[in-house]
Amino acid sequence: NIVSVNPVNEKIFLNVCKDLDIDLISFDLTQRLPFIPKRTAINLAMQKGISFELNIEGMMRDHTTKRNVISNASILVELCHGRNIVLSNGSRDVFHLRGPYDLINVAYLFGLNKEEARNSLTTNPSYMLKHSLARKYVKSVV
């Protein structure tokens, strides 16, 4: 099982990065971020193997939501240095689903280079799944 957290304030975010054993941190990118994550907390989370999800579902709505998604995602990409990022579509409508190359092009808007964009669709999600399996089996062994 993948454990994902959507922190709503900075105190919860710091607690998640320091203490909790999770796999994925997701933000609501359609609204302005309620806080700017600190680089030290993000580095601590990445050392623990936690990934960050960038959900592009809001880019299909209106111009304000699209602007919020792009600005919030570029802030997170800059703080993460393009590592441990997982791109997801999150759409419930079939017509809003995008292919992998479309997602790579959207990742360019966020500030990822070609290799980082490809890793956010292939390598990073598989690493996140391996991290969740390791967490599951280590707890069962102990």
Side-chain angles (χ1 to χ4, degrees), residues 60-79:
M60 309 304 170
R61 295 185 195 160
D62 59 352
H63 295 295
T64 307
T65 308
K66 185 184 294 187
R67 182 176 54 219
N68 286 338
V69 169
I70 291 172
S71 69
N72 292 336
S74 17
I75 288 171
L76 290 172
V77 164
E78 181 182 337
L79 291 172

Side-chain angles (χ1 to χ4, degrees), residues 45-61:
M46 288 193 312
Q47 287 174 355
K48 289 174 60 177
I50 298 173
S51 299
F52 294 90
E53 179 186 22
L54 299 180
N55 190 343
I56 67 157
E57 181 261 333
M59 292 187 69
M60 309 304 170
R61 295 185 195 160

Side-chain angles (χ1 to χ4, degrees), residues 3-127:
V3 179
S4 178
V5 175
N6 189 356
V8 292
N9 62 29
E10 189 169 9
K11 186 176 181 181
I12 294 173
F13 177 70
L14 291 173
N15 188 20
V16 164
C17 291
K18 288 181 183 177
D19 299 331
L20 296 182
D21 191 18
I22 61 170
D23 303 313
L24 188 67
I25 296 177
S26 179
F27 292 99
D28 182 16
L29 299 179
T30 59
Q31 305 294 322
R32 287 192 63 198
L33 289 177
F35 63 96
I36 302 296
K38 299 209 184 297
R39 190 177 300 258
T40 55
I42 287 183
N43 288 339
L44 182 64
M46 288 193 312
Q47 287 174 355
K48 289 174 60 177
I50 298 173
S51 299
F52 294 90
E53 179 186 22
L54 299 180
N55 190 343
I56 67 157
E57 181 261 333
M59 292 187 69
M60 309 304 170
R61 295 185 195 160
D62 59 352
H63 295 295
T64 307
T65 308
K66 185 184 294 187
R67 182 176 54 219
N68 286 338
V69 169
I70 291 172
S71 69
N72 292 336
S74 17
I75 288 171
L76 290 172
V77 164
E78 181 182 337
L79 291 172
C80 292
H81 301 291
R83 294 177 288 145
N84 289 19
I85 292 179
V86 176
L87 278 178
S88 66
N89 195 334
S91 178
R92 294 189 176 127
D93 187 12
V94 176
F95 296 110
H96 290 160
L97 291 176
R98 298 291 176 239
Y101 292 111
D102 291 338
L103 291 176
I104 288 174
N105 288 332
V106 169
Y108 290 147
L109 288 175
F110 299 156
L112 294 172
N113 62 29
K114 183 178 181 180
E115 190 66 30
E116 292 168 344
R118 184 172 291 141
N119 286 342
S120 69
L121 293 175
T122 57
T123 309
N124 295 347
S126 64
Y127 175 75

